[in-house]
Amino acid sequence: MRFITREKIQDLLEALASEAEVWAPRELNGSGGSIMFERWRSGDPIAFEGVTTLSAKDMVLPRTEKLFGFRYTAGTGNLLAEALGQSAGQPAKEKGEHLSIDPAEPVAEKVLFGVRACDAKALDVLDSLFNRADGSGYEDPGYRSRRAGLTVITIACTSCDEACFCSSFDNGPAEKAGSDLIFYPVDTGFLVEAVTVRGEKILARDEAAKSGQLFEESMLQPPALAETARVEGTADMETLLPAIFADLDFWERSTASCISCGFCTYGCPTCHCFNIHDEMRGDREGERLRSWDACMFHIYTQEASGHNPRPTPAHRYRNRINHKFSYYPENQGQILCTGCGRCIRGCPAGLDIREVMTAALAHARGQGST
Amino acid sequence: MSTIAQAGRKATDPLRPEPATVIEVIPETPNIKTLRVAFDDPAVTEAFSFLPGQIGQLSVPGAGESTFAISSAPSQTDVFEFSVMKAGVVTSAIHELGAGDPVAIRAPLGCAFPTDEWKGRNIVLVAGGIGMAPLRSLLYHLLDNRADYGGLTLIYGARTPDDLCFASDRDDWRHRADLDFTATIDMACSIWDGCVGLVPTVLEERAPSPENSVAVTCGPPIMIRYALESLARLGFREEQVYTTLERRMKCGIGICGRCNLGPKYVCTDGPVFSLAELNGLPDEM
């Protein structure tokens, strides 16, 4: 395997930053240890340990994304409207207005350095909805262009905290899906493995450089990986969960502490539900925006009539669990959870999704005391 | 869910609407208006087609975008119609529009009624209030292809005579020999000399035969519920009954997450579902 010292990471990012925006985890000043992905500039410190408070999903699904700009200008744009309007006795307004919609804007290429395998795998999970590799499904232009311009360099986990549970799924602390390069932490540096052609090119380019090689050959052995908490039987949830859907009492009991704050969805690397809304910039132009939304909010499904098909936290949590472990696997072939643990670390009510999963599995199998 | 209609929209970005213009606004009831609209770009009009039951996203850029059934005849695509009940922010902005005002449209979306499968059968349409909008498009399609179908029955109800939409259509429907049309209102009043009674009650009185028939119902959720019970009492089996659903929607393409019934999305797998399909899905109406 190839090897890079910790000191040379700065040189590597320097080289990558000459061609793309580089984003890396950094401990925020005065945050009490919160790590976030931040735009990296030469000399910035990097947090090699720990997991970021929020995931990396906004690299491909920004918290708020401009879908397009639009503007109203004088004059009608529709000759048919004028003709038909006049014949119908409804002439176009005196000061006709014409609507135009701006073309799409290019997005910046980015390198995401130091992401964890759970967050990289989450990109692969999102790809199956927004950007299917075989082109058979829906392709989201905004997502696709951001994803195509994103290089993902993952650091495998040799330690974890009690909220981590990635080993419950096919992925684990060194999962390759979603990554271009995997860095394995060893003494003084990282062993490096290329996962994709894009990753290989980073290694090959260094080899071709005449001086200052970043990567060297190493005979070091890969490190022992973290062993996380584990929920058994997650793959069975796709077929088991529908059996207990109608038991609202169960969902009320097992999610009673939920206060519908929505942190679990904002922190989640795979939650992708969104809202679409318009904002005007003055009287004549505006933007249509796509923003993160949260299925835990009451208003998310509330209709204009006042009717709400998911009126209580239990209804909403039930949908969230079913979406992650039953509907998405059925529709997209992947579990919509990578075990990153953020919804557990960040829940202000102490609700642990692993306990709900375990209780649901036991209840569905008819073994539970619930 | 049965008929996938991908015809009619070639767009690289499904969230990007096409500019369009309001041709005419027809007041239907105190809170429902029909907007006749046309795309601004002739190439978009040229490529546009839809099938009965399909939906569209109509937006007033600046106010927002909402989902509506296309309520006009699928045979007419240069100008087509949405019938909109005023309920929230976007529909209020839509109700402010007049002829010549710009809008933006993403259409068609969703799946249509499987009218090809229904050829040769009797069709019973059961509509309440604004629920007539998608069934009006379907009715136009059936009348445009009248020879393909057997008997045609329409029961359409509203709370009061003023709440019945599509007045000029109703004149036409009443006089057609090839359509058995009953309009009904919930309670008797001085300006109404027609049928009086709730839609499910009238449906059972008219008692259309389930023999070689398909029933389609759309209306307020409570009406749909009782209409489904009435149809069952008349002997319609669940695979003979269709409805078209409404949900809060945003994207219209099955990804924003809010309109699902279990693993199915109303915006893409529906809005048209057979009762057999609905009975196989989690009850989260």
Side-chain angles (χ1 to χ4, degrees):
Chain A
M1 257 193 220
R2 311 295 290 278
F3 172 81
I4 185 170
T5 64
R6 280 201 178 209
E7 290 69 39
K8 283 187 176 172
I9 296 287
Q10 288 282 338
D11 299 335
L12 169 66
L13 297 192
E14 197 89 58
L16 294 169
S18 68
E19 293 170 8
E21 288 182 14
V22 172
W23 291 69
R26 189 188 336 161
E27 189 170 323
L28 298 187
N29 289 334
S31 70
S34 183
I35 305 169
M36 296 284 278
F37 290 106
E38 294 286 315
R39 177 84 187 270
W40 180 90
R41 289 190 170 80
S42 188
D44 283 348
I46 297 162
F48 288 107
E49 310 295 332
V51 62
T52 51
T53 301
L54 293 179
S55 82
K57 73 178 168 191
D58 53 358
M59 296 290 132
V60 287
L61 290 172
R63 271 162 249 192
T64 298
E65 169 186 8
K66 179 175 157 185
L67 291 173
F68 53 83
F70 56 83
R71 60 204 68 249
Y72 291 99
T73 50
T76 177
N78 195 315
L79 297 174
L80 180 66
E82 282 190 342
L84 290 174
Q86 277 159 12
S87 68
Q90 296 190 9
K93 291 176 131 184
E94 261 177 54
K95 282 183 71 178
E97 283 192 304
H98 174 59
L99 171 70
S100 57
I101 293 173
D102 297 343
E105 294 166 19
V107 299
E109 295 207 350
K110 290 181 180 175
V111 173
L112 179 60
F113 176 82
V115 72
R116 294 294 171 185
C118 49
D119 284 356
K121 169 66 181 177
L123 297 172
D124 179 63
V125 172
L126 290 172
D127 284 346
S128 62
L129 178 65
F130 286 92
N131 188 30
R132 227 177 260 188
D134 62 4
S136 66
Y138 163 68
E139 292 188 10
D140 187 278
Y143 180 100
R144 188 174 43 177
S145 56
R146 288 185 177 83
R147 186 73 174 97
L150 183 66
T151 300
V152 181
I153 302 176
T154 300
I155 298 179
C157 296
T158 51
S159 66
C160 62
D161 70 15
E162 62 271 22
C164 290
F165 67 112
C166 66
S167 303
S168 306
F169 307 103
D170 287 343
N171 55 297
E175 165 66 30
K176 293 188 176 67
S179 300
D180 295 300
L181 285 172
I182 307 248
F183 280 36
Y184 297 90
V186 288
D187 272 357
T188 73
F190 300 91
L191 290 170
V192 180
E193 179 181 12
V195 178
T196 64
V197 171
R198 199 202 308 252
E200 281 166 6
K201 278 183 181 160
I202 292 173
L203 300 182
R205 191 177 49 189
D206 175 60
E207 210 158 282
K210 291 206 163 77
S211 61
Q213 274 193 6
L214 299 171
F215 300 100
E216 53 199 80
E217 282 301 325
S218 169
M219 299 302 285
L220 285 170
Q221 288 301 303
L225 297 172
E227 292 202 17
T228 75
R230 188 184 284 266
V231 177
E232 300 296 344
T234 54
D236 300 335
M237 293 176 77
E238 178 183 346
T239 50
L240 287 174
L241 283 178
I244 57 167
F245 182 93
D247 188 352
L248 195 60
D249 282 351
F250 165 79
W251 294 105
E252 281 172 352
R253 278 198 311 278
S254 50
T255 67
S257 59
C258 178
I259 57 170
S260 300
C261 74
F263 175 79
C264 51
T265 67
Y266 287 136
C268 178
T270 63
C271 274
H272 56 268
C273 295
F274 58 82
N275 196 1
I276 297 174
H277 52 109
D278 292 359
E279 281 185 9
M280 293 300 285
R281 308 264 183 261
D283 292 339
R284 308 294 290 167
E285 57 185 68
E287 295 176 346
R288 179 154 295 170
L289 305 170
R290 164 159 76 178
S291 303
W292 290 0
D293 206 342
C295 61
M296 308 311 289
F297 294 158
H298 183 273
I299 199 170
Y300 176 74
T301 45
Q302 182 169 315
E303 295 161 14
S305 66
H307 174 69
N308 193 339
R310 294 177 203 137
T312 73
H315 285 93
R316 298 191 283 275
Y317 204 100
R318 175 176 70 178
N319 181 66
R320 185 163 189 268
I321 290 276
N322 273 277
H323 187 214
K324 290 199 167 297
F325 301 107
S326 181
Y327 308 155
Y328 199 85
E330 179 177 337
N331 288 330
Q332 311 300 337
Q334 298 220 59
I335 290 176
L336 193 65
C337 173
T338 63
C340 75
R342 287 189 182 86
C343 59
I344 301 164
R345 277 178 220 110
C347 180
L351 186 52
D352 187 330
I353 194 172
R354 294 170 299 191
E355 290 172 13
V356 181
M357 294 164 69
T358 304
L361 276 163
H363 188 44
R365 289 185 166 128
Q367 303 165 350
S369 57
T370 51
Chain B
M1 203 143 81
S2 311
T3 303
I4 304 281
Q6 290 301 341
R9 188 157 196 268
K10 177 70 190 145
T12 50
D13 184 347
L15 294 178
R16 176 176 289 265
E18 294 291 345
T21 298
V22 177
I23 304 294
E24 189 184 356
V25 177
I26 303 162
E28 302 282 3
T29 76
N31 67 347
I32 298 173
K33 288 181 176 178
T34 293
L35 283 84
R36 294 172 51 71
V37 293
F39 288 115
D40 289 351
D41 181 350
V44 173
T45 301
E46 184 68 28
F48 176 69
S49 67
F50 67 95
L51 292 167
Q54 284 195 291
I55 52 181
Q57 291 275 358
L58 174 63
S59 53
V60 181
E65 189 177 51
S66 278
T67 319
F68 306 99
I70 304 174
S71 60
S72 52
S75 56
Q76 293 193 0
T77 51
D78 53 345
V79 178
F80 56 104
E81 299 174 9
F82 294 104
S83 300
V84 176
M85 185 163 80
K86 186 173 172 178
V89 173
V90 176
T91 50
S92 293
I94 290 171
H95 270 240
E96 295 293 308
L97 296 170
D101 279 336
V103 291
I105 294 171
R106 295 190 283 133
L109 300 166
C111 289
F113 293 106
T115 47
D116 282 347
E117 292 173 22
W118 297 349
K119 283 181 180 173
R121 303 173 75 176
N122 308 309
I123 314 287
V124 180
L125 307 180
V126 182
I130 188 65
M132 188 62 223
L135 298 199
R136 179 186 182 231
S137 179
L138 173 60
L139 179 58
Y140 270 126
H141 179 82
L142 299 172
L143 293 173
D144 283 342
N145 301 277
R146 189 65 191 84
D148 290 341
Y149 301 93
L152 206 48
T153 302
L154 168 64
I155 296 164
Y156 171 35
R159 274 172 304 174
T160 72
D162 284 346
D163 292 310
L164 287 165
C165 296
F166 313 123
S168 65
D169 290 311
R170 282 187 280 123
D171 273 344
D172 174 43
W173 298 339
R174 202 173 295 122
H175 293 108
R176 290 190 73 119
D178 58 356
L179 171 67
D180 176 9
F181 171 46
T182 305
T184 180
I185 59 168
D186 288 359
M187 280 184 292
C189 72
S190 58
I191 58 165
W192 182 255
D193 57 2
C195 177
V196 175
L198 297 174
V199 168
T201 312
V202 175
L203 169 63
E204 289 196 56
E205 284 165 9
R206 307 291 299 178
S209 164
E211 185 70 31
N212 191 36
S213 296
V214 166
V216 188
T217 183
C218 186
I222 188 77
M223 186 218 84
I224 293 186
R225 208 175 90 201
Y226 286 108
L228 293 177
E229 288 179 9
S230 299
L231 287 166
R233 275 195 290 275
L234 292 169
F236 283 80
R237 296 187 315 279
E238 60 176 19
E239 59 273 16
Q240 287 175 277
V241 178
Y242 289 77
T243 186
T244 170
L245 298 180
E246 273 208 315
R247 277 256 160 152
R248 182 168 188 169
M249 302 181 198
K250 283 288 176 180
C251 73
I253 52 175
I255 55 172
C256 81
R258 70 202 72 218
C259 74
N260 64 302
L261 283 170
K264 300 295 182 190
Y265 287 83
V266 172
C267 66
T268 49
D269 298 303
V272 172
F273 292 93
S274 73
L275 186 56
E277 290 164 336
L278 283 183
N279 286 342
L281 292 172
D283 181 11
E284 205 175 38
M285 299 294 285

